Amino acid sequence: MYRIFVLLMGCCFSLNIHAQLKVQFQCQNAVSGKAVPGVTVTEDGKATAMADTSGVAVLLVPAGTHHFSFSAVGYEKAQLTIHITHDTTLVIKMGALAKEMDEVVIVATTRNNQSIENAPIKVEVLGKEEMNEENGIRPANIASILGDVSGVQIQQTSATSGNSNVRIQGLDGRYTQILRDGMPLYDGFSGGFGILTIPPLDLQQIELVKGSASTLYGGGAIGGLVNIISKRPTAAQEGSITLNQTTLKETDANVYLSKRYKGFGYTLFGGYIHQNPVDVNKDGFSDVPKLNSYNLHPRLFFYPKNTTIILGYNGNMNHTKGGDMQVLKGSSDAVHQYFEQNNTTRHSGELVVEHHFDSGKSLYFKNTVSDYTNDFADAQLNYKGNQLSYYSELSTLIPYGNKNSFVGGVNVTGDQFKATHQNQLIPIASLNNNTIGAFVQNTWTIKDQATLELGLRDDYHQKYGNFFLPRLAFFNRFNAHWATRLGVGWGYKVPNPFTPWYMDYTPDKIAALPASITPEKSVGYNAEINYKLDWEGGNSLFINQAFFLTQIKDPIYGTINPDGTLFYQNGNKNVLSRGFDTYVKAKLEEWELYAGYTYTVVTRNYLPQQQFMPLTPRNRMSFVLARDFEKAGLMTGLEGSYNGSQKRLDGSNTPGYMFMAAVIQKHLGDHVTVVLNCENLLNYKQSNVEALYTGSVTDPQFKPLWAPIDGRVVNLSLRLKL
């Protein structure tokens, strides 16, 4: 019996020695308590894990004493020695090296967990703080905050529907690729009302790349890329309700809830917008359409060993109707008949799997399927179009050596469009696009001061064949104050008749693509120099001077046929966009200043005359001045932008104009925030200069828009933090 007892004890002792215990580290900013993503966990000098975007890293270790080190860009190195006897969760407080947010923001768009400051590709980030502020100012969508970025122009393409697109560096909106969590959802026919259906309360941050970015995410990012990053749950319960009312008869209500538990987490966003039609300039037509919009975005997060699994659904129903005010009031007659109605629905599902190996390597799988339908009607046409889009990707991130990294992956993307009509033939009844691609990217760190990045992508399109896209980027920090970036990248865009134009055209007015049309190909160059200065009291100054040049070969442009349809064809000479972008960011005690100036010249060399790009200001300036009275719980801000003269389609010049806005935000305790905001303080409208339409009331022909049409707007919002 004694020998058996000794044998059993020995077996138990052996099992205890070899048992693997689960240790979970929650990496947090030592001051704010916010999650710190991208933290590398090492033991005995060997990388063992990397924290995910929620700041969580998981290890399996044997029982005993362990010495861990924690490092992340922009943070002081942390160390921990602990004797581990059971599964445990530990909070690791990371001290920031500097107070500048630019030091610690980790970007997702570059795919390799780089800091915003040292990324070879220039990525501009509108972070969680900006999203919270925008939620109080413009809770309905992100169009306004994107337009505040220098070099980015939000152009309204329809006076009746209110639809808009994002233009970067003076190029058309079809050259800007819109991503949601790194996946394309807003292209072709499904691009309609894209940014108008995304509220800021649901977002962690927005990342912008100006210039060619097609190597990592495929065709379309010739002018630039906008990556919209959704929130993820943290260990702290988060809940907020935003209620908003404007003087233009808009009512908003948004709710967000999230929480992360040990092996499970969730986020839930729900939103509703109601807008009554308003005729601001009293010409008989709505300048703001009637709108009812519903948003629902639940996501479930599961955290098995070293893995994050995300299951999500995103649903949006958007009902707009604009046009003759008598029609909108239900009083149409033989003269008052004009209206435009868009009933859109978007249902998207996502599956994301992220696995982090003990060696620091990561494996990612992303998949999304999106179904978009637009039921369109006007006085002459009833039309229903549907686009089913899909995207699947498998990729890996492999850190190695001294801060070097390798990224590689494959993806499949495509869409299927079908249309039905009731009362007349339409030129495009169906359309398909399918592309398979592979990409690699290697990043070398040279003596901790310079970074060289080489990216290669090869795409194969079912109809247009093969596209090879190299990219080279270089970053060098000369010292604590000066740094520079250089880059060149190739891109392409396959023809799609539904991509954004400077005006919206009804489906019966878009001609089918000719058989001879070919894809557009581009090469883009960028160069910049940065200066940064920090001094006592948390004060700082940052200056960025950037230069850009993009050349598009075989550009696709539209002409109007005698029957009034929009016909696309290739130009035999290039489109050339070039200019420079200057911005200054400064913090002095409680004051913050952002000022930017963009000079852009775009020429369409395929035209024999009037080679200008219409509706593109050559000179654009903007600024934001804000002060935070922390003790009083008060924040005030003033922003403005000057848009220089633009060319109309006929070559005539528009006047330049100034746009101003002001905001006051007050915290009432820890749970209530009140925001009073005024947009377009100077009440500048395009209708102050010219009529918005020509022709008759029965059949109006609306002009392209180059300035606001909704005038001065005041809104009052209330945010409740649960």
Side-chain angles (χ1 to χ4, degrees):
M1 180 67 68
Y2 175 76
R3 292 177 62 187
I4 295 175
F5 176 77
V6 171
L7 180 61
L8 289 174
M9 289 296 293
C11 291
C12 292
F13 180 72
S14 177
L15 289 173
N16 285 335
I17 289 178
H18 294 93
Q20 295 290 297
L21 302 176
K22 182 178 180 180
V23 182
Q24 179 173 287
F25 299 106
Q26 295 182 348
C27 303
Q28 299 177 357
N29 185 294
V31 177
S32 67
K34 295 180 180 179
V36 179
V39 176
T40 300
V41 184
T42 60
E43 184 176 11
D44 299 326
K46 180 182 178 182
T48 55
M50 179 176 289
D52 61 18
T53 54
S54 299
V56 174
V58 179
L59 283 178
L60 292 178
V61 299
T65 301
H66 296 266
H67 180 75
F68 299 107
S69 297
F70 307 85
S71 60
V73 176
Y75 285 90
E76 297 175 349
K77 190 173 184 179
Q79 296 185 353
L80 173 68
T81 300
I82 185 172
H83 186 75
I84 300 174
T85 58
H86 56 276
D87 292 351
T88 185
T89 298
L90 301 169
V91 176
I92 307 300
K93 296 292 185 179
M94 305 289 292
L97 291 173
K99 294 185 178 181
E100 275 294 313
M101 282 198 65
D102 285 356
E103 290 281 354
V104 297
V105 174
I106 304 298
V107 295
T109 300
T110 59
R111 294 183 180 267
N112 54 8
N113 294 323
Q114 292 170 317
S115 71
I116 181 177
E117 187 179 25
N118 297 319
I121 299 179
K122 180 184 177 182
V123 182
E124 298 186 42
V125 176
L126 302 170
K128 191 172 183 179
E129 183 178 353
E130 285 86 354
M131 295 301 101
N132 289 335
E133 292 175 357
E134 189 68 8
N135 175 56
I137 297 171
R138 298 292 293 271
N141 58 69
I142 58 174
S144 177
I145 193 170
L146 286 175
D148 292 338
V149 179
S150 63
V152 178
Q153 178 186 359
I154 303 298
Q155 184 190 5
Q156 187 171 335
T157 55
S158 172
T160 50
S161 72
N163 198 12
S164 300
N165 64 58
V166 184
R167 301 179 60 187
I168 298 178
Q169 295 181 348
L171 296 173
D172 288 333
R174 69 179 186 274
Y175 298 121
T176 301
Q177 189 174 42
I178 308 293
L179 307 175
R180 182 71 184 256
D181 298 311
M183 295 180 282
L185 290 177
Y186 308 96
D187 195 18
F189 185 75
S190 68
F193 303 97
I195 61 171
L196 297 182
T197 60
I198 304 173
L201 181 59
D202 195 27
L203 304 181
Q204 175 71 25
Q205 62 193 45
I206 300 174
E207 301 177 1
L208 296 99
V209 178
K210 301 172 187 174
S212 179
S214 294
T215 300
L216 285 179
Y217 294 97
I222 289 176
L225 178 148
V226 180
N227 194 3
I228 300 161
I229 311 296
S230 304
K231 288 181 180 177
R232 292 196 179 191
T234 62
Q237 174 77 58
E238 184 176 354
S240 61
I241 300 174
T242 301
L243 305 174
N244 180 66
Q245 181 65 48
T246 80
T247 55
L248 275 183
K249 304 179 182 179
E250 177 187 331
T251 303
D252 307 276
N254 293 327
V255 179
Y256 178 80
L257 300 169
S258 73
K259 171 70 174 177
R260 174 169 178 167
Y261 302 94
K262 184 176 181 181
F264 167 78
Y266 74 91
T267 63
L268 173 63
F269 173 84
Y272 170 68
I273 305 169
H274 174 73
Q275 170 73 66
N276 287 319
V278 181
D279 179 12
V280 177
N281 63 348
K282 308 302 180 184
D283 64 354
F285 292 94
S286 62
D287 299 295
V288 180
K290 179 181 179 180
L291 167 67
N292 284 287
S293 181
Y294 307 85
N295 265 297
L296 182 64
H297 189 204
R299 302 173 90 198
L300 300 178
F301 296 76
F302 303 93
Y303 305 102
K305 182 179 68 174
N306 295 348
T307 304
T308 300
I309 301 173
I310 306 172
L311 293 173
Y313 164 78
N314 196 345
N316 172 260
M317 291 184 290
N318 204 60
H319 308 298
T320 66
K321 188 174 183 179
D324 193 308
M325 291 296 291
Q326 283 194 210
V327 176
L328 301 183
K329 294 176 181 178
S331 303
S332 59
D333 55 31
V335 175
H336 298 277
Q337 299 181 0
Y338 178 82
F339 72 94
E340 181 180 316
Q341 180 173 290
N342 290 273
N343 293 330
T344 68
T345 59
R346 190 191 303 269
H347 301 285
S348 303
E350 68 167 325
L351 168 64
V352 177
V353 181
E354 303 173 349
H355 182 75
H356 303 282
F357 298 93
D358 291 343
S359 60
K361 302 179 180 67
S362 300
L363 185 67
Y364 303 93
F365 173 75
K366 298 179 181 179
N367 177 260
T368 184
V369 178
S370 180
D371 183 87
Y372 175 83
T373 299
N374 186 1
D375 196 342
F376 173 88
D378 62 18
Q380 289 80 36
L381 176 68
N382 287 295
Y383 167 93
K384 187 174 183 180
N386 173 268
Q387 180 170 299
L388 181 69
S389 305
Y390 64 88
Y391 179 84
S392 294
E393 176 192 298
L394 181 66
S395 64
T396 184
L397 167 62
I398 304 175
Y400 68 94
N402 181 24
K403 301 181 181 179
N404 302 327
S405 66
F406 172 84
V407 173
V410 294
N411 67 268
V412 179
T413 183
D415 56 71
Q416 298 177 356
F417 167 79
K418 293 182 180 180
T420 58
H421 55 89
Q422 294 183 11
N423 54 357
Q424 69 182 77
L425 293 175
I426 53 175
I428 304 172
S430 64
L431 190 69
N432 292 321
N433 286 288
N434 292 285
T435 305
I436 183 170
F439 58 90
V440 293
Q441 172 184 278
N442 205 87
T443 306
W444 295 273
T445 300
I446 307 169
K447 296 183 179 179
D448 291 329
Q449 293 181 325
T451 304
L452 179 66
E453 195 166 82
L454 173 64
L456 300 173
R457 182 182 188 90
D458 193 73
D459 276 359
Y460 183 80
H461 187 274
Q462 66 177 59
K463 180 178 180 179
Y464 297 106
N466 196 70
F467 301 91
F468 181 68
L469 308 175
R471 177 181 60 82
L472 186 66
F474 176 75
F475 173 83
N476 184 62
R477 178 164 298 285
F478 299 105
N479 52 45
H481 303 295
W482 293 95
T484 188
R485 282 187 181 91
L486 300 170
V488 57
W490 279 256
Y492 76 99
K493 178 73 175 176
V494 298
N496 192 314
F498 299 115
T499 51
W501 203 248
Y502 55 80
M503 288 184 64
D504 284 351
Y505 287 86
T506 56
D508 60 316
K509 298 297 184 183
I510 302 176
L513 294 173
S516 60
I517 201 165
T518 60
E520 302 170 275
K521 298 181 181 179
S522 72
V523 58
Y525 307 87
N526 69 279
E528 65 178 84
I529 188 166
N530 301 324
Y531 175 77
K532 181 178 179 181
L533 177 65
D534 297 306
W535 65 96
E536 59 184 11
N539 301 313
S540 63
L541 173 67
F542 180 77
I543 302 173
N544 172 269
Q545 179 62 59
F547 302 89
F548 60 87
L549 186 150
T550 301
Q551 180 177 281
I552 303 175
K553 182 183 178 182
D554 299 324
I556 295 174
Y557 69 101
T559 57
I560 305 300
N561 286 330
D563 62 357
T565 57
L566 177 66
F567 176 77
Y568 290 100
Q569 58 188 308
N570 290 107
N572 57 6
K573 292 185 179 180
N574 296 338
V575 166
L576 192 64
S577 170
R578 66 274 195 197
F580 62 85
D581 190 12
T582 306
Y583 78 82
V584 177
K585 182 178 180 181
K587 183 175 182 181
L588 184 61
E589 296 179 354
E590 291 86 7
W591 292 94
E592 291 188 21
L593 170 68
Y594 165 89
Y597 169 70
T598 305
Y599 178 79
T600 308
V601 178
V602 185
T603 53
R604 300 176 294 173
N605 297 317
Y606 54 82
L607 295 177
Q609 55 186 356
Q610 294 188 339
Q611 295 181 341
F612 56 84
M613 181 66 73
L615 310 179
T616 304
R618 179 166 292 195
N619 299 283
R620 190 171 187 269
M621 292 176 284
S622 61
F623 75 89
V624 177
L625 181 64
R627 178 165 181 177
D628 193 352
F629 300 89
E630 190 171 347
K631 293 182 179 179
L634 185 69
M635 187 277 289
T636 61
L638 179 69
E639 69 177 51
S641 63
Y642 173 77
N643 289 269
S645 178
Q646 306 169 47
K647 291 284 188 180
R648 298 183 179 92
L649 272 64
D650 61 5
S652 61
N653 292 316
T654 71
Y657 67 91
M658 192 74 184
F659 182 94
M660 299 285 292
V663 62
I664 299 176
Q665 176 179 283
K666 173 66 176 176
H667 296 291
L668 304 176
D670 295 331
H671 300 284
V672 180
T673 302
V674 179
V675 178
L676 180 64
N677 177 63
C678 181
E679 298 282 309
N680 201 349
L681 278 168
L682 304 180
N683 199 29
Y684 190 88
K685 305 185 294 292
Q686 183 171 327
S687 56
N688 295 345
V689 177
E690 61 186 14
L692 297 183
Y693 74 95
T694 59
S696 65
V697 173
T698 305
D699 186 25
Q701 305 299 314
F702 286 90
K703 298 178 180 179
L705 301 179
W706 49 266
I709 62 173
D710 53 1
R712 185 185 297 118
V713 186
V714 178
N715 74 286
L716 179 67
S717 71
L718 177 68
R719 181 175 183 180
L720 306 175
K721 185 178 180 182
L722 306 180

